[in-house]
Amino acid sequence: MLLIRRAAPAGPLAWTFPSRKVEVGESVERAAVREALEETGVTVEALSVLGERVHPMTGWHVAYVACQLLSGEARAASLREVADVRWVRLGEVAELVPGGLFEPVQAYLNGALPN
């Protein structure tokens, strides 16, 4: 899976999925596709919304969207927002994401990715 290291971490949360804000009139699926391109330079297809919550560390409303890579080489495309990008295996998440992943996201990834 693709994670980004934010240029300005939200407390202890530095590594996240590509994300930001949903624009007015935009679906969460379309926002996920747009943010992946803006932040990492990759083109993805939104597959499904995995769930939504208020993030316990940031207080932000977050929607999680499973996406499939279509094209592009991942890079820090928005240096103002992204310090680094990294493809990680599921087993590497614990060292990068304090508190682990949102349970519906973890469940989806358990079935979709190798450790």
Side-chain angles (χ1 to χ4, degrees):
M1 75 187 108
L2 183 60
L3 295 180
I4 63 168
R5 185 168 51 87
R6 295 237 165 257
L13 193 61
W15 288 95
T16 68
F17 295 110
S19 61
R20 245 4 215 174
K21 296 189 181 214
V22 177
E23 295 178 356
V24 175
E26 184 177 49
S27 69
V28 294
E29 295 93 337
R30 179 66 198 124
V33 169
R34 178 181 50 75
E35 290 292 348
L37 182 61
E38 289 176 1
E39 293 185 349
T40 69
V42 298
T43 301
V44 299
E45 174 186 11
L47 301 177
S48 63
V49 177
L50 302 176
E52 298 184 35
R53 70 172 173 169
V54 174
H55 196 283
M57 290 186 187
T58 65
W60 301 335
H61 180 264
V62 182
Y64 297 86
V65 180
C67 295
Q68 178 177 343
L69 177 66
L70 297 178
S71 64
E73 294 292 325
R75 60 185 169 76
S78 173
L79 297 178
R80 183 177 54 85
E81 296 176 324
V82 179
D84 197 8
V85 299
R86 183 170 164 190
W87 288 103
V88 299
R89 292 187 167 276
L90 190 53
E92 297 173 299
V93 169
E95 69 188 63
L96 299 174
V97 181
L101 298 175
F102 181 43
E103 185 54 41
V105 174
Q106 183 73 51
Y108 173 83
L109 293 173
N110 286 345
L113 295 178
N115 274 328

